[in-house]
């Protein structure tokens, strides 16, 4: 996956009520570990909605085969891994809160205290 992006497995419906891959409909998510104590612990992250050019068809099909709600984080080559910047998380069984509702995201983005952007 491209750096500082996530893949969320599963399907949802688009504005025309067509079944689409989650990331094709929802381009950004607001994500935090649960529980999250500080606003800066959560991040606004881009979601991958189509097969990256450097990914094989088999790898993409494997990602798409996971049950709805599985979050796949990109590997970081040079920077701090993405789970670590989300409330000092790691991948030892942490629970994550994911918000994708566009109306709520729009409200948060235009609030007095801006969301912490990662990508």
């Amino acid at each position: 996956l491209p750096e500082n992006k996530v893949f969320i497995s599963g399907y949802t419906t688009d504005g025309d009520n067509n079944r689409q891959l989650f990331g094709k409909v929802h381009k950004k998510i607001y994500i935090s570990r649960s529980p999250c104590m500080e606003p800066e612990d959560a991040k606004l992250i881009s979601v991958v909605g189509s097969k990256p050019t450097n990914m094989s068809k088999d790898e993409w099909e494997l990602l798409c085969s996971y049950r709805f709600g599985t979050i796949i984080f990109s590997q970081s080559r040079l920077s701090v891994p993405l789970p670590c910047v989300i409330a000092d998380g790691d991948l030892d069984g942490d629970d994550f809160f994911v918000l994708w509702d566009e109306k709520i995201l729009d409200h948060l983005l235009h609030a007095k205290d801006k969301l912490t952007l990662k990508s």
Side-chain angles (χ1 to χ4, degrees):
L1 293 176
E3 198 161 346
N4 293 322
K5 296 189 185 296
V6 297
F7 175 84
I8 298 182
S9 61
Y11 293 84
T12 188
T13 54
D14 63 15
D16 295 326
N17 212 28
N18 297 314
R19 186 175 187 253
Q20 295 284 344
L21 193 62
F22 181 90
K24 283 196 174 208
V25 177
H26 304 289
K27 306 291 185 196
K28 293 222 179 250
I29 57 167
Y30 184 66
I31 185 170
S32 68
R33 278 191 326 128
S34 182
C36 177
M37 300 303 201
E38 302 294 330
E40 62 270 7
D41 287 342
K43 304 293 179 215
L44 186 64
I45 305 290
S46 295
V47 180
V48 173
S50 58
K51 184 180 88 56
T53 55
N54 62 342
M55 182 180 283
S56 74
K57 181 180 174 189
D58 288 340
E59 290 170 326
W60 179 249
E61 288 176 357
L62 175 64
L63 285 181
C64 293
S65 73
Y66 291 124
R67 291 181 5 191
F68 178 80
T70 302
I71 303 171
I72 308 295
F73 292 96
S74 59
Q75 289 184 325
S76 180
R77 291 164 189 76
L78 301 174
S79 61
V80 177
L82 195 50
C84 294
V85 298
I86 301 171
D88 295 323
D90 50 33
L91 296 177
D92 66 353
D94 291 346
D95 290 326
F96 288 89
F97 168 78
V98 178
L99 173 69
W100 63 83
D101 184 279
E102 291 178 21
K103 290 179 184 174
I104 297 172
L105 281 173
D106 186 56
H107 177 74
L108 289 172
L109 285 169
H110 294 96
K112 181 180 175 187
D113 297 321
K114 297 293 184 192
L115 299 177
T116 305
L117 298 177
K118 179 61 185 170
S119 61

